Amino acid sequence: MIGGGNTALENILTLSKYAREVIPVIVTEDFTGNPDLRERITKLPNVKIVRNTEVLEVIGSETVTGIKLRDLKTGNEWVEHVDGVFPSIGATVNSRP
């Protein structure tokens, strides 16, 4: 899941009911959406939040196999193996930390 606002938070809650693991990637230290939703998500055992990170690339030819990420604090880059990517940026895009 890419995004940290209310749209992403609602999608994370929904997806976490069906997925083995949900990995929200946010460019800030914390989600920017509703505080009650944020609290609920941090308690979900199958949600692994990746903070202060941007998505550089979606990897895969016919299907998604991973995403290339960069830590905005350290500059470290790595690949997270995933089966899908869900951009949840909502109505107003905020791509800056």
Side-chain angles (χ1 to χ4, degrees), residues 2-3 5 7 12 19-20 28 33 40 57 60 64 79-81 90 97:
I2 302 169
T7 300
I12 292 165
R20 181 179 49 233
T28 55
R40 286 174 55 194
E57 179 183 356
V64 174
V79 172
E80 192 76 47
H81 297 282

Side-chain angles (χ1 to χ4, degrees), residues 1-12:
M1 189 71 59
I2 302 169
N6 284 332
T7 300
L9 294 173
E10 291 168 2
N11 289 338
I12 292 165

Side-chain angles (χ1 to χ4, degrees), residues 10-64:
E10 291 168 2
N11 289 338
I12 292 165
L13 285 173
T14 300
L15 193 57
S16 69
K17 295 176 186 175
Y18 305 102
R20 181 179 49 233
E21 184 177 43
V22 179
I23 306 171
V25 178
I26 54 178
V27 296
T28 55
E29 181 62 34
D30 201 359
F31 294 105
T32 57
N34 179 293
D36 293 331
L37 292 175
R38 290 164 34 187
E39 184 177 341
R40 286 174 55 194
I41 285 168
T42 59
K43 294 179 180 178
L44 294 171
N46 63 333
V47 174
K48 172 186 164 188
I49 303 166
V50 180
R51 304 169 191 275
N52 301 304
T53 300
E54 66 180 338
V55 176
L56 299 176
E57 179 183 356
V58 176
I59 301 167
S61 56
E62 300 212 11
T63 62
V64 174

Side-chain angles (χ1 to χ4, degrees), residues 59-81:
I59 301 167
S61 56
E62 300 212 11
T63 62
V64 174
T65 59
I67 50 176
K68 185 174 183 180
L69 303 171
R70 177 175 37 222
D71 185 302
L72 294 172
K73 289 186 173 183
T74 66
N76 289 338
E77 295 181 7
W78 75 99
V79 172
E80 192 76 47
H81 297 282

